[in-house]
Amino acid sequence: MSSEKAVTGLVSASVSPIADAEPVLHVQDLRLALYTGQEEVFPVDGVSFTINPGETLCLVGESGSGKSLTALTIMRLIELEASVRYEGRVLFAERDVLTLSQSEMNSLRGSEVAMVPQEPMSALNPVVKIGRQLEQVGIYHAKDRTSRRQVRQEFHKRSRDALVAVGIRDVDRVLSSYPHQLSGGMQQRILIAMAVIAEPKLIIADEPTTALDVTTQAQILVLLAELQKRTGVGLLLITHDLAVAAQVADRVAVMYAGSIVEQAPVEEFFANPQHPYSVGLLNSVPSIEGGKNQDRLNAIPGSVPSLLALPRGCRFAPRCVLAVDKCQSERPDLRAIQSTQTHLAACWRPGEMP
Ligand SMILES: Nc1ncnc2c1ncn2[C@@H]1O[C@H](COP(=O)(O)OP(=O)(O)OP(=O)(O)O)[C@@H](O)[C@H]1O
Ligand SMILES: [Mg+2]
């Protein structure tokens, strides 16, 4: 299947979110505080969003903006040491993930929420063969079923199908391999297959297709869209690729220096971006003929500020061509623009960027 075809298929396969349903994930004022030895920094600083069943929220933003740490905090995958603290709420099926015990969290992760992390190796057990790790997903899944034997057979078939669907041809070799015997791209595919097999309520995928070729990437996005259509899984997809966001997102959230600076339904976001940073990102999308080095979004002059030296006002002000005094001194909140309820921007001069 060509990538164009796959992506076109994806558009028709995508499912509209169930508007009135309870959100599958509700993140409220999430902060992650790290004590660096000198002072406390907040790499995730007041992040709020919801994901409805069947909905895809794409979180975009430059390298270092806090996307992965947001995902890892939601999944409670950051070790809570003396130097780390959470604030806010992460409501998943009415439970606040931030208050669950480690064992409650482990069972949630095994069955109801799946994560495809940016570093796939960190999620695979290095001393257990892939086949066995896939079976463990199946065991979780079989917990509330009556016939375990039937479940096991079904599961066996489903895991093979899932591995083929993520573009793995030599399934037997992969099943009998240890993670370190496989490439990073292969490990990523396996984690995506695991997420698909588990049929969770929520998948958090951090750059899940970055290491993969375009055809496989398109194939995987179709697979996720099909899963969504079938099971209504909510998807938080972190990507630096705005073309991917345009294809799969229902809503887009743009992150900058630890906070969301704009959030909007996908068509609205691409047609009518409000925050100067979003406009900068959209202008930095690489052209199709572009060289290899264009695959990171860093065409906006300047860089993400250090967490140890954040600007007092708007964190984007030092890089913003529209910045006025107020932008330097007062930090804008994320709020609805114009008459909409769904398009939010944290900017004193929204929509003024040409
Ligand atoms: N364990 C850590 N301790 C201290 N700071 C960290 C830690 N991990 C990440 N950071 C910092 O937190 C900020 C956010 O990092 P994060 O990995 O979430 O960015 P990102 O948006 O996922 O970037 P990328 O697109 O490169 O994956 C960065 O400034 C990073 O240097
Ligand atoms: Mg990251």
Side-chain angles (χ1 to χ4, degrees):
M1 175 161 51
S2 79
S3 58
E4 289 87 339
K5 254 196 189 148
V7 172
T8 316
L10 180 68
V11 172
S12 56
S14 80
V15 61
S16 59
I18 305 156
D20 299 329
E22 281 292 301
V24 57
L25 179 70
H26 189 156
V27 177
Q28 250 176 351
D29 259 324
L30 182 66
R31 287 182 115 196
L32 170 69
L34 302 176
Y35 186 69
T36 62
Q38 303 149 348
E39 58 183 292
E40 212 166 38
V41 295
F42 297 91
V44 178
D45 194 3
V47 167
S48 301
F49 60 84
T50 57
I51 298 181
N52 293 313
E55 187 178 40
T56 299
L57 176 69
C58 280
L59 189 59
V60 302
E62 276 167 302
S63 192
S65 54
K67 306 181 297 295
S68 292
L69 288 182
T70 298
L72 293 169
T73 308
I74 293 170
M75 291 297 281
R76 287 268 304 277
L77 287 169
I78 296 172
E79 294 283 329
L80 261 192
E81 296 159 10
S83 56
V84 182
R85 195 160 51 78
Y86 304 130
E87 286 171 23
R89 304 213 295 167
V90 176
L91 297 175
F92 178 78
E94 288 167 14
R95 279 165 299 177
D96 187 347
V97 163
L98 299 184
T99 65
L100 296 182
S101 69
Q102 260 324 321
S103 71
E104 287 171 319
M105 200 55 219
N106 283 342
S107 81
L108 196 73
R109 278 200 290 264
S111 54
E112 294 182 66
V113 190
M115 168 94 171
V116 182
Q118 195 167 8
E119 302 297 336
M121 196 61 192
S122 67
L124 291 167
N125 187 332
V127 296
V128 178
K129 286 182 179 171
I130 299 299
R132 183 89 192 97
Q133 298 198 43
L134 279 163
E135 268 170 37
Q136 283 162 356
V137 178
I139 289 165
Y140 267 121
H141 205 62
K143 260 184 188 158
D144 28 318
R145 305 266 188 104
T146 40
S147 163
R148 284 214 170 196
R149 185 151 169 261
Q150 192 195 342
V151 168
R152 192 158 287 168
Q153 280 170 356
E154 256 175 45
F155 177 74
H156 204 72
K157 179 170 182 314
R158 271 200 305 136
S159 18
R160 286 186 164 265
D161 290 350
L163 290 174
V164 172
V166 295
I168 294 175
R169 289 197 193 86
D170 43 356
V171 171
D172 289 318
R173 180 184 69 89
V174 167
L175 287 174
S176 60
S177 300
Y178 288 101
H180 73 266
Q181 294 174 310
L182 303 169
S183 67
M186 204 58 118
Q187 292 170 6
Q188 231 173 7
R189 292 178 214 219
I190 288 159
L191 287 172
I192 294 161
M194 278 182 177
V196 168
I197 296 162
E199 294 195 351
K201 296 196 174 75
L202 175 71
I203 296 177
I204 298 180
D206 191 352
E207 307 275 7
T209 58
T210 305
L212 306 175
D213 59 275
V214 182
T215 312
T216 310
Q217 169 173 317
Q219 219 174 333
I220 282 168
L221 295 176
V222 171
L223 180 71
L224 289 173
E226 282 168 358
L227 181 73
Q228 256 184 333
K229 197 173 186 182
R230 191 156 50 80
T231 70
V233 63
L235 182 60
L236 173 61
L237 183 74
I238 296 173
T239 178
H240 68 272
D241 189 340
L242 285 171
V244 167
Q247 294 290 347
V248 304
D250 295 299
R251 276 183 299 129
V252 177
V254 180
M255 202 156 179
Y256 188 78
S259 305
I260 291 176
V261 295
E262 178 157 7
Q263 191 180 298
V266 65
E267 300 84 9
E268 169 70 10
F269 176 76
F270 283 96
N272 194 17
Q274 294 290 308
H275 198 288
Y277 177 63
S278 308
V279 175
L281 282 185
L282 287 163
N283 289 340
S284 72
V285 171
S287 65
I288 291 175
E289 301 83 37
K292 259 202 144 180
N293 297 330
Q294 290 195 24
D295 65 353
R296 278 265 150 195
L297 297 171
N298 52 11
I300 304 167
S303 54
V304 179
S306 155
L307 294 171
L308 288 163
L310 288 173
R312 190 158 56 96
C314 172
R315 290 176 179 177
F316 186 61
R319 300 170 75 184
C320 183
V321 294
L322 295 180
V324 291
D325 286 351
K326 190 178 188 183
C327 307
Q328 312 286 358
S329 58
E330 278 180 61
R331 196 168 167 212
D333 285 332
L334 186 66
R335 60 199 160 157
I337 52 132
Q338 293 154 359
S339 56
T340 70
Q341 286 301 306
T342 52
H343 195 159
L344 315 172
C347 180
W348 294 121
R349 302 183 66 185
E352 287 187 41
M353 193 76 174

